[in-house]
Amino acid sequence: MKRNIVIAVVTAAALVGGGTATALAVAGDDDDSTSVTRTDDDRDDRGEDRSDDRDGDDDGAVRAAAPGDVTAAEAITAALKHTPGTAVSAELDDGSWEVDVLAEGDTWHTVRIAPDSGKVLGAQKDDEDDAAEVRAALKGASVTAEDAAKAAAAKGTVVSVDLDDDGGDKGWEAETRASGGDARDWNVDLKTTSVTPDRDDD
């Protein structure tokens, strides 16, 4: 009885999406053959997948530090819904919006808002003692922190808004980022929402 150890070894090169395919057929005593096909594309795809995953992780880190779908004005609205009062500042910090709220009884609260969903991540009571100054600065004002954030959004992506209650030029201060990453500071009038460049911003 004739025994065939190797019936055929065939190597074929074909372009499949720019890759090379190699086919190997081996047979034993019963002439059954087993074919294994491995493409360079498979190896490339696995490498690309790992690279894509790493890239995705990097993008996630960037997204965590940058403004998401939730604007400053929306973060303020969400914070006030959770903790009623007067929003005095909002800042994108450590991957979340932090909104300072002066509530009834002159108690201060910091509410953290997710920048991608607008959900409340947490809230805590703060020990601040400048409630009287803040209320005095906002007396007669018609522009809220939310209004100021919306007005400043015409100049770029708002990453912070804060009440300036020092000196004679009381008003809202807002920081914006342009698409290229350049930061600018703006003043927003407490009564008219007029947005002007901050004189101290060089």
Coordinates of all heavy atoms in Angstrom, one line a residue, residues 105-188:
G105 N -30.4 80.7 53.3 CA -29.7 80.6 54.6 C -28.2 80.9 54.4 O -27.4 80.7 55.3
D106 N -27.8 81.5 53.2 CA -26.4 81.8 52.9 C -25.5 80.6 53.0 O -24.4 80.7 53.5 CB -26.0 83.0 53.8 CG -26.6 84.3 53.5 OD1 -27.2 84.4 52.4 OD2 -26.6 85.2 54.3
T107 N -26.0 79.5 52.7 CA -25.2 78.3 52.6 C -24.6 78.0 51.2 O -25.3 78.3 50.3 CB -26.0 77.0 53.1 OG1 -27.1 76.8 52.2 CG2 -26.4 77.1 54.5
W108 N -23.4 77.6 51.2 CA -22.7 77.4 49.9 C -22.7 75.9 49.6 O -22.5 75.1 50.4 CB -21.3 77.9 49.9 CG -21.2 79.4 49.9 CD1 -21.1 80.3 50.9 CD2 -21.2 80.2 48.7 NE1 -21.1 81.6 50.5 CE2 -21.1 81.6 49.2 CE3 -21.3 80.0 47.3 CZ2 -21.1 82.7 48.3 CZ3 -21.2 81.1 46.5 CH2 -21.1 82.4 46.9
H109 N -22.9 75.6 48.3 CA -22.8 74.2 47.8 C -22.1 74.2 46.5 O -22.2 75.1 45.7 CB -24.2 73.6 47.6 CG -25.1 73.7 48.8 ND1 -25.2 72.6 49.7 CD2 -25.9 74.7 49.3 CE1 -26.0 72.9 50.6 NE2 -26.5 74.2 50.5
T110 N -21.3 73.1 46.3 CA -20.6 72.9 45.1 C -21.2 71.6 44.5 O -21.3 70.6 45.1 CB -19.1 72.6 45.3 OG1 -18.5 73.8 45.8 CG2 -18.4 72.3 43.9
V111 N -21.8 71.8 43.3 CA -22.4 70.7 42.6 C -21.6 70.3 41.3 O -21.3 71.2 40.5 CB -23.9 71.1 42.1 CG1 -24.6 69.9 41.5 CG2 -24.7 71.7 43.3
R112 N -21.3 69.0 41.2 CA -20.5 68.5 40.1 C -21.4 67.9 39.0 O -22.3 67.1 39.4 CB -19.5 67.5 40.5 CG -18.4 68.1 41.4 CD -17.3 67.1 41.7 NE -17.7 65.9 42.3 CZ -17.7 64.7 41.7 NH1 -17.3 64.6 40.5 NH2 -18.2 63.7 42.4
I113 N -21.2 68.4 37.8 CA -22.1 67.9 36.7 C -21.2 67.2 35.6 O -20.1 67.7 35.2 CB -22.8 69.1 36.0 CG1 -23.6 69.9 37.1 CG2 -23.7 68.7 34.9 CD1 -24.7 69.1 37.7
A114 N -21.7 66.1 35.1 CA -20.9 65.4 34.1 C -21.0 66.2 32.8 O -22.1 66.6 32.3 CB -21.5 64.0 33.9
P115 N -19.9 66.4 32.1 CA -19.9 67.2 30.9 C -20.4 66.5 29.7 O -20.7 67.2 28.7 CB -18.4 67.6 30.7 CG -17.7 66.4 31.3 CD -18.5 66.0 32.5
D116 N -20.6 65.2 29.7 CA -21.1 64.5 28.6 C -22.6 64.2 28.7 O -23.3 64.0 27.7 CB -20.3 63.2 28.3 CG -20.3 62.3 29.6 OD1 -20.7 62.8 30.7 OD2 -19.9 61.2 29.5
S117 N -23.1 64.2 29.9 CA -24.5 63.8 30.1 C -25.4 64.8 30.8 O -26.6 64.8 30.8 CB -24.6 62.4 30.8 OG -24.1 62.6 32.2
G118 N -24.8 65.7 31.6 CA -25.5 66.7 32.4 C -26.0 66.1 33.7 O -26.8 66.8 34.4
K119 N -25.6 64.9 34.0 CA -26.1 64.3 35.3 C -25.3 64.8 36.4 O -24.1 65.2 36.3 CB -25.9 62.8 35.2 CG -26.9 62.1 34.2 CD -26.7 60.6 34.3 CE -27.6 59.9 33.3 NZ -27.5 58.4 33.3
V120 N -25.9 64.9 37.6 CA -25.3 65.3 38.8 C -24.4 64.2 39.3 O -24.9 63.1 39.6 CB -26.3 65.7 39.9 CG1 -25.6 66.1 41.2 CG2 -27.2 66.9 39.4
L121 N -23.1 64.5 39.5 CA -22.2 63.5 39.9 C -22.0 63.5 41.5 O -21.6 62.5 42.1 CB -20.8 63.7 39.3 CG -20.7 63.6 37.8 CD1 -19.3 64.0 37.3 CD2 -21.1 62.3 37.3
G122 N -22.3 64.7 42.0 CA -22.2 64.8 43.5 C -22.4 66.2 43.9 O -22.4 67.2 43.1
A123 N -22.6 66.5 45.2 CA -22.7 67.8 45.7 C -22.2 67.8 47.2 O -22.3 66.8 47.9 CB -24.2 68.3 45.7
Q124 N -21.7 68.9 47.6 CA -21.2 69.1 48.9 C -21.4 70.5 49.4 O -21.4 71.4 48.6 CB -19.7 68.7 49.0 CG -18.8 69.6 48.3 CD -17.3 69.2 48.4 OE1 -17.0 68.0 48.4 NE2 -16.4 70.1 48.4
K125 N -21.5 70.6 50.7 CA -21.7 71.9 51.3 C -20.3 72.5 51.6 O -19.4 71.8 52.1 CB -22.5 71.7 52.6 CG -22.9 73.0 53.3 CD -23.8 72.8 54.5 CE -24.1 74.1 55.2 NZ -25.0 73.9 56.4
D126 N -20.2 73.8 51.3 CA -18.9 74.4 51.5 C -19.0 75.5 52.6 O -20.0 76.0 52.9 CB -18.4 75.1 50.2 CG -18.1 74.1 49.1 OD1 -17.7 73.0 49.5 OD2 -18.4 74.4 48.0
D127 N -17.8 75.7 53.2 CA -17.8 76.7 54.2 C -17.2 78.0 53.6 O -16.0 78.3 53.6 CB -16.8 76.3 55.4 CG -17.4 75.1 56.1 OD1 -18.6 75.0 56.2 OD2 -16.6 74.2 56.5
E128 N -18.1 78.9 53.1 CA -17.7 80.2 52.6 C -18.4 81.2 53.5 O -19.4 81.0 54.0 CB -18.2 80.3 51.1 CG -17.6 79.3 50.2 CD -16.2 79.6 49.8 OE1 -15.8 80.8 50.1 OE2 -15.5 78.8 49.2
D129 N -17.7 82.4 53.5 CA -18.3 83.4 54.4 C -18.5 84.8 53.6 O -18.6 85.8 54.3 CB -17.3 83.7 55.6 CG -15.9 84.1 55.1 OD1 -15.7 84.2 53.9 OD2 -15.0 84.2 56.0
D130 N -18.5 84.7 52.3 CA -18.7 86.0 51.6 C -20.1 86.1 51.0 O -20.3 86.7 49.9 CB -17.6 86.1 50.5 CG -17.6 84.9 49.5 OD1 -18.4 83.9 49.8 OD2 -17.0 85.0 48.5
A131 N -21.1 85.5 51.6 CA -22.4 85.5 51.0 C -23.0 86.9 51.0 O -23.6 87.3 50.0 CB -23.4 84.6 51.9
A132 N -22.6 87.7 52.0 CA -23.1 89.1 52.0 C -22.6 89.9 50.8 O -23.3 90.7 50.2 CB -22.8 89.8 53.3
E133 N -21.3 89.8 50.5 CA -20.7 90.5 49.4 C -21.3 90.1 48.1 O -21.5 90.9 47.2 CB -19.2 90.2 49.4 CG -18.4 90.8 50.5 CD -18.4 90.0 51.8 OE1 -19.2 89.0 51.8 OE2 -17.6 90.3 52.7
V134 N -21.5 88.8 47.9 CA -22.1 88.3 46.7 C -23.5 88.8 46.5 O -23.9 89.3 45.4 CB -22.1 86.7 46.7 CG1 -23.0 86.2 45.5 CG2 -20.7 86.2 46.6
R135 N -24.3 88.8 47.5 CA -25.7 89.3 47.4 C -25.7 90.8 47.1 O -26.5 91.3 46.4 CB -26.5 88.9 48.7 CG -26.7 87.4 48.8 CD -27.9 87.1 49.8 NE -28.0 85.7 50.1 CZ -28.5 84.8 49.3 NH1 -29.0 85.2 48.1 NH2 -28.6 83.5 49.6
A136 N -24.8 91.5 47.7 CA -24.7 92.9 47.5 C -24.3 93.2 46.0 O -24.8 94.1 45.4 CB -23.7 93.6 48.4
A137 N -23.4 92.4 45.5 CA -22.9 92.6 44.1 C -24.1 92.3 43.1 O -24.1 92.9 42.0 CB -21.7 91.7 43.8
L138 N -24.9 91.3 43.4 CA -26.0 90.9 42.5 C -27.3 91.7 42.7 O -28.2 91.5 42.0 CB -26.3 89.4 42.7 CG -25.2 88.5 42.2 CD1 -25.6 87.0 42.6 CD2 -25.0 88.6 40.7
K139 N -27.3 92.6 43.7 CA -28.5 93.4 44.0 C -28.8 94.3 42.8 O -27.9 95.0 42.3 CB -28.3 94.3 45.2 CG -29.5 95.0 45.7 CD -29.3 95.8 46.9 CE -30.6 96.5 47.4 NZ -30.4 97.3 48.6
G140 N -30.0 94.2 42.3 CA -30.4 94.9 41.1 C -29.9 94.3 39.8 O -30.2 94.9 38.7
A141 N -29.2 93.3 39.8 CA -28.7 92.6 38.6 C -29.8 91.8 37.9 O -30.7 91.2 38.6 CB -27.5 91.7 38.9
S142 N -29.8 91.8 36.6 CA -30.9 91.1 35.9 C -30.2 89.9 35.1 O -30.9 89.1 34.5 CB -31.6 92.0 34.9 OG -30.7 92.6 34.1
V143 N -28.9 89.9 35.1 CA -28.2 88.8 34.3 C -27.6 87.8 35.3 O -26.9 88.1 36.2 CB -27.0 89.5 33.5 CG1 -26.2 88.4 32.8 CG2 -27.6 90.5 32.5
T144 N -28.1 86.6 35.1 CA -27.6 85.5 35.9 C -26.3 84.8 35.3 O -25.9 85.2 34.2 CB -28.7 84.4 36.0 OG1 -28.9 83.8 34.7 CG2 -30.0 84.9 36.5
A145 N -25.7 83.9 36.1 CA -24.6 83.2 35.6 C -24.9 82.4 34.3 O -24.1 82.4 33.4 CB -24.1 82.3 36.7
E146 N -26.1 81.9 34.3 CA -26.5 81.2 33.1 C -26.6 82.1 31.9 O -26.2 81.8 30.8 CB -27.8 80.5 33.3 CG -28.4 79.7 32.2 CD -29.7 79.0 32.5 OE1 -30.3 79.3 33.6 OE2 -30.2 78.3 31.6
D147 N -27.2 83.3 32.1 CA -27.3 84.3 31.0 C -25.9 84.7 30.6 O -25.7 84.8 29.4 CB -28.1 85.5 31.5 CG -29.5 85.2 31.9 OD1 -30.1 84.3 31.3 OD2 -30.1 85.9 32.8
A148 N -25.0 84.9 31.5 CA -23.7 85.3 31.2 C -22.9 84.2 30.3 O -22.2 84.6 29.4 CB -22.9 85.6 32.4
A149 N -23.1 83.0 30.7 CA -22.5 81.9 30.0 C -23.1 81.8 28.5 O -22.3 81.6 27.6 CB -22.8 80.6 30.7
K150 N -24.3 82.0 28.4 CA -24.9 82.0 27.1 C -24.4 83.2 26.2 O -24.1 83.0 25.0 CB -26.5 82.1 27.2 CG -27.1 80.8 27.7 CD -28.6 81.0 27.8 CE -29.3 79.7 28.3 NZ -30.8 79.9 28.4
A151 N -24.3 84.3 26.8 CA -23.8 85.5 26.1 C -22.3 85.3 25.7 O -22.0 85.6 24.5 CB -23.9 86.7 26.9
A152 N -21.5 84.8 26.6 CA -20.1 84.6 26.2 C -19.9 83.5 25.2 O -18.8 83.5 24.6 CB -19.3 84.3 27.5
A153 N -20.8 82.6 25.1 CA -20.7 81.5 24.2 C -20.6 81.9 22.7 O -20.1 81.2 21.9 CB -21.9 80.5 24.3
A154 N -21.0 83.2 22.5 CA -20.9 83.7 21.1 C -19.4 84.0 20.8 O -19.0 84.1 19.6 CB -21.6 85.0 21.0
K155 N -18.5 84.0 21.8 CA -17.1 84.3 21.6 C -16.3 83.0 21.6 O -15.1 83.0 21.2 CB -16.6 85.2 22.7 CG -17.3 86.5 22.9 CD -17.2 87.3 21.7 CE -17.9 88.7 21.9 NZ -17.8 89.6 20.7
G156 N -16.8 81.9 21.9 CA -16.1 80.6 21.9 C -16.7 79.6 22.9 O -17.8 79.9 23.5
T157 N -16.1 78.5 23.2 CA -16.6 77.5 24.1 C -16.3 78.0 25.5 O -15.2 78.2 25.9 CB -16.0 76.2 23.9 OG1 -16.3 75.7 22.5 CG2 -16.5 75.1 24.9
V158 N -17.4 78.2 26.3 CA -17.2 78.7 27.7 C -16.7 77.6 28.6 O -17.3 76.5 28.7 CB -18.5 79.3 28.2 CG1 -18.3 79.8 29.6 CG2 -19.0 80.5 27.3
V159 N -15.6 77.8 29.3 CA -15.0 76.8 30.2 C -15.2 77.3 31.6 O -15.0 76.5 32.5 CB -13.6 76.5 29.8 CG1 -13.5 75.7 28.5 CG2 -12.7 77.7 29.9
S160 N -15.5 78.6 31.8 CA -15.7 79.0 33.2 C -16.5 80.4 33.1 O -16.4 81.1 32.2 CB -14.4 79.2 34.0 OG -13.7 80.3 33.5
V161 N -17.3 80.6 34.2 CA -18.0 81.9 34.4 C -18.0 82.1 35.9 O -18.2 81.2 36.7 CB -19.4 81.8 33.8 CG1 -20.2 80.7 34.4 CG2 -20.1 83.2 33.9
D162 N -17.7 83.4 36.3 CA -17.5 83.6 37.7 C -17.9 85.1 38.0 O -17.7 86.0 37.2 CB -16.0 83.4 38.1 CG -15.8 83.5 39.6 OD1 -16.6 83.1 40.3 OD2 -14.7 84.1 40.0
L163 N -18.5 85.3 39.2 CA -18.9 86.6 39.6 C -17.7 87.4 40.1 O -17.0 86.9 41.0 CB -20.0 86.5 40.6 CG -20.4 87.9 41.2 CD1 -21.1 88.7 40.1 CD2 -21.4 87.7 42.4
D164 N -17.4 88.6 39.5 CA -16.4 89.4 40.0 C -17.1 90.5 40.9 O -17.8 91.4 40.4 CB -15.7 90.1 38.9 CG -14.6 91.1 39.4 OD1 -14.3 91.1 40.6 OD2 -14.0 91.8 38.5
D165 N -17.0 90.3 42.2 CA -17.6 91.2 43.1 C -16.7 92.2 43.8 O -17.0 92.8 44.8 CB -18.4 90.5 44.2 CG -17.5 89.5 45.0 OD1 -16.3 89.4 44.7 OD2 -18.1 88.9 45.9
D166 N -15.5 92.3 43.2 CA -14.5 93.2 43.8 C -14.4 94.5 43.0 O -14.6 94.6 41.8 CB -13.1 92.6 43.7 CG -12.9 91.3 44.6 OD1 -13.6 91.3 45.6 OD2 -12.2 90.4 44.2
G167 N -14.2 95.6 43.8 CA -14.0 96.9 43.2 C -15.3 97.5 42.6 O -16.4 97.0 42.9
G168 N -15.1 98.4 41.7 CA -16.3 99.1 41.1 C -16.8 98.5 39.9 O -18.0 98.7 39.5
D169 N -16.0 97.7 39.2 CA -16.4 97.0 38.0 C -17.0 95.6 38.2 O -16.4 94.6 37.8 CB -15.3 96.9 37.0 CG -14.8 98.3 36.5 OD1 -15.6 99.2 36.5 OD2 -13.6 98.5 36.2
K170 N -18.1 95.6 38.9 CA -18.7 94.3 39.2 C -19.3 93.7 38.0 O -19.9 94.5 37.2 CB -19.7 94.4 40.4 CG -19.1 94.8 41.7 CD -20.2 95.0 42.8 CE -19.5 95.2 44.1 NZ -18.7 96.4 44.2
G171 N -19.3 92.4 37.8 CA -19.9 91.8 36.7 C -19.5 90.3 36.6 O -18.8 89.8 37.5
W172 N -19.8 89.7 35.5 CA -19.5 88.3 35.3 C -18.2 88.2 34.5 O -18.0 89.0 33.6 CB -20.6 87.5 34.6 CG -21.9 87.4 35.3 CD1 -23.0 88.1 35.1 CD2 -22.1 86.6 36.5 NE1 -24.0 87.8 36.0 CE2 -23.5 86.8 36.9 CE3 -21.4 85.6 37.2 CZ2 -24.0 86.1 37.9 CZ3 -21.9 85.0 38.2 CH2 -23.3 85.2 38.6
E173 N -17.3 87.3 34.9 CA -16.1 87.1 34.1 C -16.3 85.7 33.5 O -16.6 84.7 34.2 CB -14.9 87.1 35.0 CG -14.5 88.5 35.6 CD -13.3 88.4 36.4 OE1 -12.9 87.3 36.8 OE2 -12.7 89.5 36.7
A174 N -16.0 85.6 32.2 CA -16.1 84.3 31.5 C -14.8 84.0 30.7 O -14.2 85.0 30.2 CB -17.3 84.3 30.5
E175 N -14.4 82.8 30.7 CA -13.3 82.3 29.9 C -13.8 81.4 28.8 O -14.6 80.5 29.0 CB -12.3 81.6 30.8 CG -11.0 81.1 30.0 CD -10.0 80.3 30.8 OE1 -10.2 80.3 32.1 OE2 -9.1 79.7 30.2
T176 N -13.3 81.7 27.6 CA -13.7 80.9 26.5 C -12.4 80.3 25.8 O -11.3 80.8 26.0 CB -14.4 81.7 25.4 OG1 -13.6 82.7 24.9 CG2 -15.7 82.3 26.0
R177 N -12.7 79.2 25.1 CA -11.6 78.5 24.3 C -12.1 78.5 22.9 O -13.2 78.1 22.6 CB -11.4 77.1 24.8 CG -10.8 77.0 26.3 CD -9.4 77.4 26.4 NE -8.9 77.5 27.8 CZ -8.5 76.5 28.5 NH1 -8.5 75.3 27.9 NH2 -8.1 76.7 29.7
A178 N -11.2 78.9 22.0 CA -11.4 78.8 20.6 C -11.2 77.4 20.1 O -10.6 76.6 20.8 CB -10.6 79.8 19.8
S179 N -11.5 77.1 18.8 CA -11.3 75.8 18.3 C -9.8 75.4 18.3 O -9.5 74.2 18.4 CB -11.9 75.7 16.9 OG -11.3 76.6 16.1
G180 N -9.0 76.4 18.2 CA -7.5 76.1 18.2 C -7.0 76.0 19.6 O -5.8 75.7 19.7
G181 N -7.8 76.2 20.6 CA -7.3 76.1 22.0 C -6.9 77.4 22.7 O -6.6 77.4 23.8
D182 N -7.0 78.5 21.9 CA -6.6 79.8 22.5 C -7.7 80.2 23.5 O -8.9 80.1 23.3 CB -6.5 80.8 21.4 CG -5.3 80.6 20.5 OD1 -4.4 79.9 20.9 OD2 -5.4 81.0 19.3
A183 N -7.2 80.7 24.7 CA -8.1 81.1 25.8 C -8.3 82.6 25.7 O -7.3 83.3 25.5 CB -7.6 80.6 27.1
R184 N -9.5 83.1 26.0 CA -9.8 84.5 26.1 C -10.7 84.8 27.3 O -11.5 83.9 27.7 CB -10.5 85.0 24.8 CG -9.7 85.0 23.6 CD -8.6 86.1 23.6 NE -9.1 87.4 23.9 CZ -9.5 88.3 23.0 NH1 -9.6 87.9 21.7 NH2 -9.9 89.5 23.3
D185 N -10.5 85.9 27.9 CA -11.3 86.3 29.1 C -12.2 87.5 28.7 O -11.8 88.4 27.9 CB -10.4 86.8 30.2 CG -9.6 85.6 30.8 OD1 -10.1 84.5 30.8 OD2 -8.5 85.8 31.3
W186 N -13.4 87.4 29.2 CA -14.5 88.4 28.8 C -15.2 88.9 30.1 O -15.3 88.2 31.1 CB -15.5 87.8 27.9 CG -14.9 87.1 26.7 CD1 -14.5 85.8 26.6 CD2 -14.6 87.7 25.4 NE1 -13.9 85.6 25.3 CE2 -14.0 86.8 24.6 CE3 -14.7 89.0 24.9 CZ2 -13.5 87.0 23.3 CZ3 -14.3 89.3 23.6 CH2 -13.7 88.3 22.8
N187 N -15.7 90.1 30.0 CA -16.6 90.6 31.0 C -18.0 90.7 30.5 O -18.2 91.1 29.3 CB -16.1 92.0 31.4 CG -14.8 92.0 32.1 OD1 -14.5 91.1 32.8 ND2 -14.0 93.0 31.8
V188 N -18.9 90.3 31.3 CA -20.4 90.3 30.9 C -21.1 91.2 31.9 O -21.0 91.0 33.1 CB -21.0 88.9 30.9 CG1 -22.4 88.9 30.4 CG2 -20.2 87.9 30.0

